[in-house]
Amino acid sequence: MNETDNLWPATAEELATTISFALRFDGRKRTHSGDEFMAKITAERLIEHLERSGYVVMKKPPQPAHSVGR
């Protein structure tokens, strides 16, 4: 089984949230180059363009939660 067997299309909302986060943060550190409102608008516009252009973005299933070692 290869890693593409468990992929499914990401929703527009998932993509917008991910892109918006990437525009506002560098890893866990918040960037101050743009505010939250502008990041959201930019992400939504990018998603609309990708959908019109016929792109499908695939997403891996969520990873299982880490177990706490004792």
Side-chain angles (χ1 to χ4, degrees):
M1 181 181 287
N2 63 38
E3 67 180 45
T4 60
D5 292 340
N6 292 329
L7 301 179
W8 67 85
T11 66
E13 183 178 336
E14 291 170 328
L15 287 173
T17 300
T18 301
I19 292 170
S20 178
F21 182 88
L23 292 169
R24 291 181 288 126
F25 292 89
D26 181 12
R28 292 184 183 182
K29 185 178 179 182
R30 186 166 179 92
T31 60
H32 296 286
S33 60
D35 64 1
E36 190 170 334
F37 186 66
M38 183 55 76
K40 184 175 185 228
I41 291 170
T42 302
E44 289 172 354
R45 292 284 311 271
L46 285 169
I47 299 310
E48 289 171 6
H49 179 73
L50 290 171
E51 287 178 334
R52 281 193 309 269
S53 298
Y55 281 85
V56 176
V57 177
M58 304 303 283
K59 181 179 176 182
K60 291 181 181 180
Q63 296 293 321
H66 294 283
S67 61
V68 177
R70 291 183 184 223

